Amino acid sequence: MTTHAATFRAPRLHFGPVLLGGLLVGTFDLVFASTWWKIAHDVPPIRILQSIGSGLLGEASFEGGVRSATIGGVAHYFIATCMVLAFALVATRVPALLRRPIAWGVPYGLFLYGLMTYVVVPLSAAAPSKSVNVPWVTASIVVHVLIGVACAFIARRAVR
């Protein structure tokens, strides 16, 4: 008796969509932050990038000009790409994530917000914030939810 077992092929991760997704997610987040802080406090975009760079360089980042802003930009896009990559890697093992990108992307975005706010930034060399800016926190949570959903949709293209 011959049996024909269904051939199972694990989904493969394609890095092109992950890299493009990191670029898109990172740019969306950077445009959001730069626009918010420019409108709210007249902070120039270079200062946003230096602020990101301060996670690696500490307060010296704000005196490093374009060089520290570039370090901040590279770090920012690296983190954005890791966010996309992490969701896509898990989705290769849990394909249900790909079938419901909004349902899974929303909690992923909330997870990313918590991870960045309560783990990554406190462990970095960036100076802790002296106060809570409620409108900024609220907007950041919304943006991270959108980023989580974007990661889920990007993963659909990356995992095949």
Side-chain angles (χ1 to χ4, degrees):
M1 181 164 126
T2 307
T3 59
H4 298 290
T7 304
F8 175 75
R9 185 182 69 80
R12 295 192 50 158
L13 180 62
H14 298 270
F15 287 99
V18 170
L19 295 174
L20 180 59
L23 181 65
L24 293 172
V25 165
T27 299
F28 169 70
D29 187 40
L30 200 51
V31 167
F32 158 70
S34 295
T35 302
W36 176 279
W37 288 104
K38 181 67 177 168
I39 291 169
H41 299 284
D42 199 32
V43 175
I46 192 170
R47 187 86 171 168
I48 302 303
L49 291 167
Q50 289 171 331
S51 176
I52 297 165
S54 74
L56 296 170
L57 304 172
E59 288 297 311
S61 182
F62 298 106
E63 318 229 339
V66 173
R67 183 182 218 182
S68 60
T70 301
I71 291 169
V74 169
H76 178 74
Y77 283 102
F78 174 76
I79 291 169
T81 302
C82 287
M83 290 175 171
V84 174
L85 179 61
F87 191 95
L89 283 171
V90 172
T92 63
R93 300 284 185 231
V94 185
L97 298 178
L98 302 173
R99 289 190 290 274
R100 300 187 59 213
I102 295 173
W104 291 106
V106 169
Y108 183 62
L110 294 171
F111 167 77
L112 292 174
Y113 175 80
L115 180 67
M116 293 303 298
T117 303
Y118 300 110
V119 178
V120 175
V121 173
L123 290 175
S124 77
S129 179
K130 295 174 181 74
S131 64
V132 175
N133 181 330
V134 174
W136 166 251
V137 169
T138 303
S140 294
I141 291 169
V142 170
V143 165
H144 278 82
V145 164
L146 294 173
I147 287 170
V149 171
C151 288
F153 276 103
I154 292 162
R156 288 176 118 185
R157 311 251 303 134
V159 178
R160 301 183 245 130

